[in-house]
Amino acid sequence: DNLAYWCSKLESLGVPVVAIAGMDKQRATEAIQCGAASVAVISAVTSARDPEAVIRALQAAIALGKTLPIWPVPLLAKPTLA
């Protein structure tokens, strides 16, 4: 929800959002659905036995995210520090 919120706010300013942290195929798809311009991936690739296969899978997940419905944008971001 927070990613969709910030993507919507920053898109109106022309600021692209890059989703980071814990990216895998599912999270990459969801990040694109939320409006992220791209994803940053390190561990999923560097820890893989076949990094090229992981990169291909992530590219497919990103392409899939572009074809799926956009995630609903909440009115307010949820607090992350409490």
Side-chain angles (χ1 to χ4, degrees), residues 2-82:
N2 279 352
L3 183 57
Y5 175 83
W6 289 111
C7 285
S8 73
K9 297 300 179 198
L10 294 171
E11 180 183 45
S12 66
L13 300 173
V15 177
V17 173
V18 177
I20 62 171
M23 286 294 124
D24 57 18
K25 291 185 298 186
Q26 180 179 344
R27 289 180 121 186
T29 298
E30 292 171 355
I32 298 302
Q33 282 183 271
C34 285
S38 62
V39 299
V41 182
I42 297 173
S43 298
V45 174
T46 59
S47 65
R49 285 186 171 201
D50 187 352
E52 291 178 0
V54 170
I55 291 169
R56 284 191 298 273
L58 287 164
Q59 288 172 327
I62 291 167
L64 174 63
K66 292 178 180 180
T67 67
L68 297 174
I70 303 267
W71 275 34
V73 177
L75 294 176
L76 296 172
K78 293 180 183 175
T80 55
L81 302 173

